[in-house]
Amino acid sequence: MSNENNIREMLPTDWSRIEFIYRQSLKKGNATFTSDCPTYEEWDAGHHKDCRFVYEENTLVVGYVVISPTSAKPHYRGVVEVSVYVDENYLHKGIGTKLLNCLCQEADKLGYWTLYSSIFANNIASIELHKKCGFRVIGYREKIAKDIFGEWQSTVIMERRNGIK
């Protein structure tokens, strides 16, 4: 785990803040094609139990990072999708960078070999964040799906290979 004082493991009691931050991204429409926020039980079932971190400022959770499986097949167990979200009132303060770097370090220790992200092509800040943390662009999907506003969106596929030489 990172020695970053503001980062700690996520707890179930953090859900109200996680949900609040996620709902902010839903309203913006540039981070996920999902239109509804899941229940905690649905969310919990869809994400790995490890590598769940939050960033706190004055005891308030203002960002989080988690991973989810990309496949149920056992030979893909080390390939995970990354999600990182920061409260819109705390953007551009380096919180996303600290969270993502923490995740990368912990994921490497735990044997995850590929961290994957699919990012809306118009979400330049997220693309740059991932590049800063060692991700590289490996693909582009043109007009892959419609966002919550009914507009076609393209996605940039990025990955970070941990421990693979």
Side-chain angles (χ1 to χ4, degrees):
M1 166 107 156
S2 170
N3 60 6
E4 187 66 48
N5 291 333
N6 297 70
I7 296 177
R8 64 168 173 77
E9 290 185 19
M10 183 185 293
L11 303 171
T13 53
D14 295 321
W15 176 246
S16 64
R17 283 297 297 165
I18 301 305
E19 180 182 26
F20 175 81
I21 294 167
Y22 188 72
R23 285 187 186 280
Q24 285 180 336
S25 71
L26 291 179
K27 290 177 189 174
K28 285 183 187 176
N30 72 344
T32 180
F33 288 110
T34 305
S35 58
D36 297 317
C37 189
T39 65
Y40 173 74
E41 292 74 21
E42 293 167 333
W43 183 91
D44 185 52
H47 293 86
H48 281 281
K49 305 300 183 215
D50 54 16
C51 291
R52 294 181 178 189
F53 299 108
V54 297
Y55 188 97
E56 284 187 322
E57 192 155 299
N58 299 319
T59 71
L60 180 68
V61 171
V62 298
Y64 68 94
V65 65
V66 294
I67 56 173
S68 54
T70 58
S71 174
K73 295 177 181 177
H75 44 275
Y76 288 114
R77 72 188 174 282
V79 181
V80 293
E81 184 170 4
V82 173
S83 297
V84 58
Y85 291 92
V86 176
D87 183 317
E88 64 187 27
N89 299 304
Y90 292 85
L91 295 174
H92 310 295
K93 296 183 177 193
I95 294 169
T97 302
K98 291 173 185 174
L99 281 166
L100 194 50
N101 279 332
C102 174
L103 173 77
C104 290
Q105 292 171 9
E106 191 67 15
D108 198 29
K109 288 180 202 172
L110 294 173
Y112 294 109
W113 58 81
T114 301
L115 304 180
Y116 155 89
S117 285
S118 178
I119 305 168
F120 280 29
N122 63 3
N123 192 341
I124 303 303
S126 185
I127 292 168
E128 292 304 315
L129 164 66
H130 284 75
K131 284 181 181 176
K132 187 190 305 186
C133 294
F135 285 70
R136 64 188 176 105
V137 173
I138 60 166
Y140 182 81
R141 296 186 297 185
E142 186 174 356
K143 295 182 181 178
I144 191 72
K146 289 185 178 182
D147 64 20
I148 62 168
F149 307 112
E151 299 293 325
W152 285 104
Q153 293 296 330
S154 301
T155 56
V156 174
I157 310 302
M158 301 185 78
E159 76 173 10
R160 182 179 192 276
R161 304 299 296 257
N162 285 340
I164 296 177
K165 303 293 181 221

